[in-house]
Amino acid sequence: MGVDTDPRDLGRTHLIGIGGAGMSAVARLLLAHGVTVSGSDAQESMGLAHLREQGAAVVVGQRAENVHDVDTVVVSTAIRETNPELATARERGLTVVHRSDALAVSMHGSQVVAVAGTHGKTTTSSMIAVMLEAAGVQPSWAIGAHVADLGANAALGHGAWFVAEADESDGSFLKYAPTVAVVTNIEPDHLDHYGSTEEFFQAFDDFTATMRPGGTLVACQDDAGSRELARRTRDAGARVLTYGTDPTSDISIQEIESHGLGTSATLSVGEGADARRHRMALAVPGEHNVLNAAAAFAVSSAVGIPAEEALRGLTGFHGSARRFDLKGEGNGVRVFDDYAHHPTEVAAALTAARKVAGEHKVLALFQPHLFSRTQAFAGEFAQALQIADRAWVLPVFAAREDPVPGVSSALITDAGGATVVAAAQPEDAVREIAQAAAPGDLVLTIGAGDVTVHGPRLVEALAEGRTSGDAEPSS
């Protein structure tokens, strides 16, 4: 089952955990294809309400009876075999497919741009979709976050192209047969699935091998892993476009400047006197976002969009949910939220925060995601968090994992020095951050778990209480 399967062949389709970012995207696409969709989730949300409005039969609570009148059940890696709906589907002999298989089916008949990499997938795929939409290409897309400029995390367009965030965490990115494969970077992660760094890197070679004949690999020249992948792929005879600040890149980034919450840079295409230079302006901060935008610009070349149209579309990109996402301001202190959950991502987010904050302080509330990742990268997390003036570290968000003896957020705080401190309770951290912040400072909540809920609480605490920069009341 994959991109050659007609979506209607799935029959009545039930998605377990339909409210999640990835599952809701698949649900939206299947509904647009005319598939009868039902689903369940553990709790009510605005996302479930939107899916009901589009015609999905959605219930809160996961029970065996929810799968009695369906043909296909869709699951994610996070769904355990003991889940009552999945267990019943197995007992009844229903077709059970992974979310990635259902996404591949949703791509039926499309030319696919699949965006992979350890970091930057969501933002880069969002930029590409916004750019293509602005150029009149009318793409389809499926992205692991709500994209404000598009109004959704997924949609079925009328054009030939489909933009997909391709998840490498469980190997599912090998299912999409892309015409354009994008690799933003390759740093070891998800070793709980792959077992070794070698197997993780091999998966990206396997990913590029799934490209359709005549396809193009877009790869970051600045990153050692993707640079070597580009070399091997080019040696194998495939078309490759590289981008980066490395002057040997096919699309070279120069003259990066920060402007508050925006950034600009020059993109140089070609060599010597024949090089074409384009000035690119972005409404999002950070050098990492310049790299993401350069990847999108490279895709425009592969798709055949004029440079001027691509740059105009990128100018209109204002971010994705949970990617340096402004949650509000209290007493002159701005609070942002970011999904960063790998040390490189945390460092990039905090570096961008430093640019935005200027001479003011950057305070961070970080929640490690997964025991396995915390165990593997505790020292690197500690080093990244030291970019902030002060960082509070919450207990590990377990997600799909069981606790690992001896592994906790203390591994990070013990290695982080005086500026990286433990926060046993989120309420304590919110109070302490509000007390430590002064007008002009920037607060960043960081992590892939539920740390995001504390952004609005921080805004409220800041607005209600005195920050460290307030004057004492006169006696």
Side-chain angles (χ1 to χ4, degrees):
M1 182 173 292
V3 294
D4 296 326
T5 303
D6 189 312
R8 290 167 294 186
D9 292 344
L10 295 175
R12 297 165 298 179
T13 302
H14 181 86
L15 293 86
I16 304 176
I18 195 171
M23 294 293 257
S24 63
V26 171
R28 287 175 179 273
L29 293 165
L30 293 178
L31 286 164
H33 276 293
V35 176
T36 299
V37 171
S38 63
S40 62
D41 210 275
Q43 58 188 9
E44 190 59 67
S45 66
M46 287 297 296
L48 298 190
H50 291 154
L51 289 171
R52 291 191 189 101
E53 290 173 1
Q54 293 178 14
V58 181
V59 297
V60 175
Q62 296 175 347
R63 297 174 291 273
E65 57 264 30
N66 292 340
V67 297
H68 282 330
D69 296 317
V70 302
D71 303 301
T72 300
V73 172
V74 181
V75 299
S76 69
T77 304
I79 303 300
R80 302 194 178 194
E81 290 292 328
T82 54
N83 179 283
E85 294 179 4
L86 177 56
T88 300
R90 300 282 194 206
E91 291 170 4
R92 296 186 56 218
L94 302 179
T95 299
V96 177
V97 301
H98 190 268
R99 179 193 61 83
S100 56
D101 293 302
L103 177 56
V105 170
S106 301
M107 299 172 180
H108 181 69
S110 299
Q111 297 291 315
V112 177
V113 178
V115 183
T118 309
H119 327 295
K121 294 184 293 292
T122 298
T123 299
T124 303
S125 52
S126 299
M127 286 179 168
I128 294 168
V130 169
M131 177 188 71
L132 295 182
E133 184 69 24
V137 174
Q138 297 184 294
S140 303
W141 71 86
I143 296 165
H146 179 86
V147 184
D149 300 303
L150 299 173
N153 60 343
L156 190 65
H158 299 292
W161 289 94
F162 192 117
V163 181
E165 179 179 349
D167 182 14
E168 82 285 351
S169 66
D170 54 6
S172 59
F173 68 156
L174 303 179
K175 301 176 180 179
Y176 305 137
T179 299
V180 181
V182 181
V183 176
T184 57
N185 39 63
I186 310 174
E187 287 191 62
D189 199 3
H190 310 296
L191 301 185
D192 55 321
H193 172 77
Y194 289 98
S196 70
T197 298
E198 292 75 19
E199 288 299 318
F200 180 78
F201 276 84
Q202 180 59 48
F204 283 87
D205 283 272
D206 297 340
F207 172 63
T208 59
T210 67
M211 289 193 304
R212 297 181 186 182
T216 301
L217 169 65
V218 172
C220 182
Q221 187 79 350
D222 290 2
D223 175 76
S226 59
R227 181 170 62 248
E228 286 303 303
L229 176 67
R231 180 187 59 77
R232 293 191 298 272
T233 304
R234 186 177 277 127
D235 289 346
R239 184 188 184 212
V240 175
L241 282 175
T242 59
Y243 65 92
T245 60
D246 186 321
T248 66
S249 305
D250 296 314
I251 298 173
S252 176
I253 303 169
Q254 305 162 4
E255 302 163 352
I256 300 174
E257 297 179 1
S258 297
H259 316 279
L261 284 175
T263 325
S264 63
T266 297
L267 303 181
S268 182
V269 184
E271 298 180 356
D274 295 329
R276 302 179 303 282
R277 290 167 58 85
H278 308 278
R279 193 64 183 169
M280 178 176 69
L282 302 175
V284 289
E287 184 172 322
H288 64 296
N289 276 323
V290 174
L291 286 167
N292 294 334
F297 183 80
V299 170
S300 74
S301 173
V303 171
I305 295 173
E308 295 74 18
E309 292 188 25
L311 293 168
R312 185 166 55 250
L314 291 170
T315 299
F317 175 76
H318 295 88
S320 307
R322 300 218 58 208
R323 275 70 184 176
F324 213 86
D325 191 1
L326 179 63
K327 307 308 291 185
E329 181 175 329
N331 206 8
V333 179
R334 287 175 292 176
V335 179
F336 293 83
D337 179 53
D338 200 277
Y339 191 71
H341 53 279
H342 183 282
T344 300
E345 297 167 350
V346 173
L350 287 172
T351 299
R354 280 236 164 265
K355 293 280 190 181
V356 174
E359 72 273 15
H360 298 283
K361 296 195 303 293
V362 173
L363 306 175
L365 178 61
F366 174 61
Q367 181 186 53
H369 185 261
L370 298 178
F371 291 101
S372 59
R373 186 180 286 124
T374 302
Q375 185 175 34
F377 301 117
E380 290 89 339
F381 278 125
Q383 184 176 5
L385 290 169
Q386 290 175 42
I387 297 172
D389 292 280
R390 193 168 181 83
W392 286 256
V393 183
L394 295 171
V396 177
F397 187 84
R400 60 185 179 271
E401 291 185 340
D402 294 322
V404 176
V407 177
S408 73
S409 58
L411 294 177
I412 298 172
T413 55
D414 288 349
T419 63
V420 181
V421 300
Q425 298 296 328
E427 297 78 11
D428 296 336
V430 168
R431 183 181 64 254
E432 292 173 14
I433 292 170
Q435 292 172 347
D441 291 348
L442 186 153
V443 178
L444 189 63
T445 58
I446 312 171
D450 59 9
V451 66
T452 184
V453 304
H454 303 304
R457 294 169 184 171
L458 279 161
V459 173
E460 183 178 352
L462 288 161
E464 291 180 350
R466 286 187 303 106
T467 63
S468 64
D470 289 332
E472 294 291 338
S474 58
S475 56

